[in-house]
Amino acid sequence: MNFIDKCIRGLSLPADIDDAVQTWHDDPEIRVDLSDYLGFDKEEYSAWLADGSIIQSVIAARVSGLSLFEYLQSAMELPMAARGQGLSADSAVIKWLRKTGRLG
């Protein structure tokens, strides 16, 4: 089970991601890319690299059955929800999403 799945099932906390990354580095038997070990798709992984705090939104998107970008778009349309997820127009991930054309 990957890290994101563990978070969804309540077996890990998003704040534990650094420990998961350290385990990936330290365990020679893990033979998958870090993104696969953590459970990110390509877009989620890129967003997480731009802003580690996006992990909360990745989990919320998965639980909601939305892609990360659908979730972020809907969250940005509701200012209170965006603030609740730590999102603002000035956040690093929102700037990155706009710069790469992934978010309007």
Side-chain angles (χ1 to χ4, degrees), residues 41-44 46-47 61 66-75 93 96-97 100 102-103:
D41 67 25
K42 184 178 179 179
E43 297 296 324
E44 293 165 344
S46 295
L66 300 172
S67 74
L68 175 60
F69 303 108
E70 291 169 333
Y71 178 81
L72 292 174
Q73 185 70 41
S74 67
V93 74
W96 174 79
L97 291 169
T100 59
R102 292 175 169 94
L103 189 64

Side-chain angles (χ1 to χ4, degrees), residues 40-86:
F40 290 122
D41 67 25
K42 184 178 179 179
E43 297 296 324
E44 293 165 344
Y45 186 64
S46 295
W48 177 70
L49 289 174
D51 182 351
S53 68
I54 198 70
I55 184 81
Q56 297 282 2
S57 295
V58 170
I59 294 165
R62 294 276 186 92
V63 169
S64 300
L66 300 172
S67 74
L68 175 60
F69 303 108
E70 291 169 333
Y71 178 81
L72 292 174
Q73 185 70 41
S74 67
M76 291 306 294
E77 291 171 2
L78 302 169
M80 291 297 288
R83 280 200 306 268
Q85 289 294 319

Side-chain angles (χ1 to χ4, degrees), residues 14-49:
D16 297 334
I17 195 163
D18 290 338
D19 293 335
V21 171
Q22 191 62 49
T23 298
W24 178 83
H25 280 289
D26 293 343
D27 189 340
E29 294 185 20
I30 298 173
R31 300 183 196 276
V32 296
D33 291 335
L34 179 58
S35 59
D36 292 331
Y37 180 73
L38 295 174
F40 290 122
D41 67 25
K42 184 178 179 179
E43 297 296 324
E44 293 165 344
Y45 186 64
S46 295
W48 177 70
L49 289 174

